[in-house]
Amino acid sequence: MANQIAIFDTTLRDGEQTPGVNLNMQEKLEIARQLENLGVDVIEAGFPISSKGDFEGVRAVARQIRRPVIAALARAVKKDIDRAWEAVQEAARPRIHTFIATSDIHMKYKLRMEPDAVLRRAVEMVTYAKSLCPQVEFSPEDGSRTRPEFLYQVLEEVIRAGADVLNIPDTVGYSTPDEFGALIRGIQKNVKGIDNVVLSVHCHNDLGMAVANSLAAIENGARQIECTINGLGERAGNAALEELVMALRTRRDYYRFQTNIVTEQIYRTSSLVSSLTGVHVQPNKAIVGANAFAHESGIHQHGILTNRETYEIMTPESIGLKKSQMVLGKHSGRHAFEERLQELGYNHLTADDINEAFRKFKDLADKKKYVMDDDIEALISTELIQIPEAVQLEYYHISSGNSLIATSTVRLSREGSTVEEAACGDGPIDAIFHAVERATGLEVTLKDYRIRAITSGKDALGESTVKVEKDGKIYVGRGISTDIIEASAKAYINAINRMLYDVRENQNGQIETIETI
Ligand code: KIV
Ligand code: ZN
């Protein structure tokens, strides 16, 4: 359809290049499953040559997620393309996405290649990728800063070589909407064969214009948009999927384009990505920020009560925020709990997942009078990504006060044995972290620590997110509890378990060091 926009989600590839983000295979799969529910057309699942973990992640997504196209990124280098193909070949609809820089500055200083050699390489590698994979996408990296005549020439020749999708990146987020729109118009006008391929764009947000540039590209002929959930990505990130899609939907009168996105899944997807990456969404972020639908001033509240449209251009329900919450309590049985899970859309849980979630629900219902949907979603999100819990918290004790040195004792179990340790610290959280470190004998560097209430009321569930670093890699841990010290200890131990899991999974380590792209 001429007015259909394909959504290419690159949260698992460009989004995973966000500083401090490191997703394991289970987490990538969980995000991919949710992206499928969201209705994206293409999932770029990773950059297989970059590490064994990335390769395994792409392969798992290709095997298990069947509706969207699954793309794998590769430099215009034969071994990258071979590895990308190995990772995606079992997908129902595989795609190899290969790229090479075409701007003068990148060719001269990064690639150290002459334009003719870049052109030859692009053609050779698209031809090679096409001999393996039915769908090939080509990106001229730094496209927006490439001399237009050279860009047209490269694009024309890769179309002849068999590319199906041409993606124009604004790699450094330098373009303005007018310029970028004109670039896309120029490509439409000057590149032979452009009508036989899909024209796509990939905009970075360095000047805060990624979404505006993507929309300008749509108005000038782009029919695939590359974007990420919550705008994650290199540096200032990529165009935010939720902003783009809601702009197209809310201003259908102006844009007249549609997507396959089930917008009611946006909020859940955003929360999942935020909790697994440990990158919190700023409260005033468009569409998914906590304040996006909050009305503070009396005048606005009055307007909303009289007619929502006075101050609301889209409804919270349209992105999946619920109007009212169901309440369960300690007398609710397994049947009611399971039914609620179904209603909330959790229909791919195994019997073991449900048993474990029900056990946690019962524990919570003992501490909290009303268990709301938000509480259940929080319990489930910790249940979905099961990594082996090599270290478990059995018990902790804290002694703290404003005139005492905080001390903590912990008892942990680790692979069948029990260890007990005590430590002091600057406050109870620091003390418990030190005690855990002593008990595990593992030294990690704490990079970030956060605590927030994820549900409401004074018996709200607290969620702690901890980032630790070991050997240059960041591991994010999450813990929830009605007790913030317990939530913090669980988050710290969760990060340690992720590190142990990663070390075991990636024993062969990095395949190759890749320069930044
Ligand atoms: O920003 C960029 O240029 C990229 C390409 C690999 C598409 O991420
Ligand atoms: Zn990018």
Side-chain angles (χ1 to χ4, degrees):
M1 256 187 293
N3 61 349
Q4 184 74 22
I5 301 299
I7 297 295
F8 175 117
D9 181 278
T10 182
T11 307
L12 294 176
R13 199 279 294 169
D14 217 319
E16 225 240 356
Q17 289 173 216
T18 306
V21 170
N22 174 25
L23 298 166
N24 66 37
M25 194 168 91
Q26 304 296 335
E27 293 165 333
K28 285 183 185 161
L29 257 176
E30 200 47 46
I31 291 176
R33 240 178 240 126
Q34 182 54 28
L35 290 172
E36 186 176 37
N37 295 339
L38 179 66
V40 305
D41 301 281
V42 186
I43 294 177
E44 184 162 59
F47 190 9
I49 194 84
S50 66
S51 70
K52 182 169 181 278
D54 229 40
F55 173 81
E56 298 292 354
V58 177
R59 190 161 59 172
V61 171
R63 284 178 174 162
Q64 297 192 37
I65 309 298
R66 306 307 287 173
R67 194 197 49 75
V69 169
I70 307 298
L73 186 70
R75 290 170 301 182
V77 173
K78 190 168 175 296
K79 63 177 187 261
D80 279 37
I81 293 175
D82 286 334
R83 194 72 173 151
W85 177 236
E86 205 185 332
V88 287
Q89 61 187 333
E90 291 175 54
R93 292 191 293 151
R95 180 183 294 179
I96 293 176
H97 175 192
T98 186
F99 71 97
I100 189 163
T102 50
S103 64
D104 287 342
I105 185 169
H106 276 229
M107 290 190 291
K108 181 164 177 200
Y109 294 103
K110 187 180 86 164
L111 298 176
R112 294 177 205 285
M113 283 169 80
E114 291 299 322
D116 278 358
V118 167
L119 176 62
R120 266 198 312 278
R121 176 78 75 77
V123 170
E124 264 168 38
M125 290 304 117
V126 168
T127 309
Y128 182 59
K130 191 68 186 178
S131 73
L132 303 173
C133 183
Q135 276 189 28
V136 173
E137 172 168 333
F138 172 77
S139 293
E141 191 191 3
D142 206 17
S144 57
R145 293 195 300 170
T146 298
R147 279 178 291 111
E149 294 309 321
F150 184 56
L151 184 64
Y152 302 153
Q153 191 186 3
V154 174
L155 297 178
E156 214 165 284
E157 302 227 0
V158 296
I159 294 177
R160 261 203 294 275
D164 304 277
V165 181
L166 295 186
N167 176 51
I168 313 302
D170 182 24
T171 301
V172 289
Y174 183 73
S175 250
T176 68
D178 276 354
E179 278 172 356
F180 202 59
L183 176 68
I184 300 303
R185 225 172 22 250
I187 292 171
Q188 293 273 28
K189 195 164 155 227
N190 294 296
V191 176
K192 265 196 230 96
I194 197 75
D195 292 341
N196 306 324
V197 298
V198 175
L199 188 51
S200 166
V201 294
H202 174 112
C203 298
H204 278 270
N205 205 30
D206 299 66
L207 293 173
M209 292 194 277
V211 171
N213 285 339
S214 307
L215 291 168
I218 291 176
E219 289 185 273
N220 286 284
R223 292 294 175 267
Q224 174 185 279
I225 304 295
E226 302 200 355
C227 45
T228 56
I229 301 296
N230 300 337
L232 289 181
E234 281 274 348
R235 307 180 311 277
N238 291 64
L241 180 149
E242 61 280 4
E243 294 178 21
L244 251 157
V245 167
M246 290 311 283
L248 291 176
R249 179 180 152 146
T250 309
R251 296 306 314 275
R252 202 177 288 141
D253 60 314
Y254 178 80
Y255 288 111
R256 301 189 184 282
F257 288 100
Q258 64 196 36
T259 69
N260 287 326
I261 297 298
V262 181
T263 61
E264 291 73 14
Q265 291 289 332
I266 284 179
Y267 189 72
R268 174 173 293 174
T269 316
S270 162
S271 306
L272 178 73
V273 169
S274 162
S275 92
L276 295 184
T277 56
V279 180
H280 290 290
V281 173
Q282 78 197 54
N284 58 331
K285 160 94 176 57
I287 318 294
V288 289
N291 297 347
F293 293 92
H295 301 279
E296 177 71 21
S297 90
I299 297 174
H300 288 206
Q301 286 170 354
H302 179 250
I304 285 284
L305 290 174
T306 325
N307 178 345
R308 283 175 82 153
E309 285 176 28
T310 49
Y311 287 100
E312 242 172 45
I313 58 167
M314 54 201 154
T315 64
E317 293 79 25
S318 65
I319 64 151
L321 279 166
K322 291 172 289 293
K323 225 187 283 171
S324 58
Q325 299 234 357
M326 278 285 292
V327 180
L328 295 179
K330 67 177 177 189
H331 300 299
S332 308
R334 197 194 141 99
H335 184 67
F337 178 72
E338 232 180 295
E339 217 162 70
R340 196 67 206 127
L341 288 181
Q342 292 287 333
E343 283 158 11
L344 290 172
Y346 293 107
N347 24 36
H348 69 279
L349 299 180
T350 64
D352 284 352
D353 289 336
I354 297 174
N355 287 342
E356 189 52 23
F358 184 62
R359 191 186 61 71
K360 289 186 176 163
F361 158 73
K362 280 294 189 188
D363 282 352
L364 184 63
D366 276 341
K367 296 182 191 142
K368 213 172 176 276
K369 191 163 176 205
Y370 302 119
V371 180
M372 317 295 282
D373 289 344
D374 286 349
D375 295 307
I376 297 179
E377 300 219 29
L379 288 182
I380 292 295
S381 66
T382 55
E383 215 36 62
L384 285 174
I385 318 297
Q386 299 272 13
I387 52 148
E389 291 189 340
V391 179
Q392 282 174 323
L393 178 67
E394 288 198 350
Y395 149 98
Y396 76 89
H397 174 81
I398 288 284
S399 154
S400 177
N402 62 357
S403 57
L404 300 176
I405 292 178
T407 53
S408 168
T409 312
V410 294
R411 191 196 295 150
L412 305 180
S413 64
R414 185 169 178 188
E415 278 136 20
S417 57
T418 305
V419 202
E420 218 162 34
E421 271 296 350
C424 304
D426 278 339
I429 307 287
D430 193 41
I432 203 164
F433 285 3
H434 280 139
V436 169
E437 218 174 323
R438 276 199 184 159
T440 56
L442 293 165
E443 268 181 41
V444 291
T445 312
L446 182 66
K447 300 300 275 186
D448 194 21
Y449 165 75
R450 281 162 204 245
I451 185 95
R452 65 179 183 134
I454 42 174
T455 56
S456 50
K458 63 180 178 353
D459 56 359
L461 273 182
E463 177 193 58
S464 169
T465 310
V466 162
K467 287 187 188 172
V468 300
E469 187 189 300
K470 179 85 180 162
D471 300 332
K473 268 188 153 180
I474 299 279
Y475 300 93
V476 179
R478 244 180 106 231
I480 58 170
S481 169
T482 46
D483 170 341
I484 58 168
I485 294 180
E486 187 179 19
S488 307
K490 281 181 170 173
Y492 196 65
I493 292 170
N494 186 240
I496 287 177
N497 279 327
R498 273 163 209 278
M499 181 196 87
L500 294 170
Y501 176 68
D502 186 55
V503 170
R504 224 168 308 141
E505 287 288 294
N506 282 301
Q507 254 146 16
N508 300 333
Q510 192 89 356
I511 290 181
E512 188 173 344
T513 307
I514 299 288
E515 72 266 25
T516 345
I517 48 169

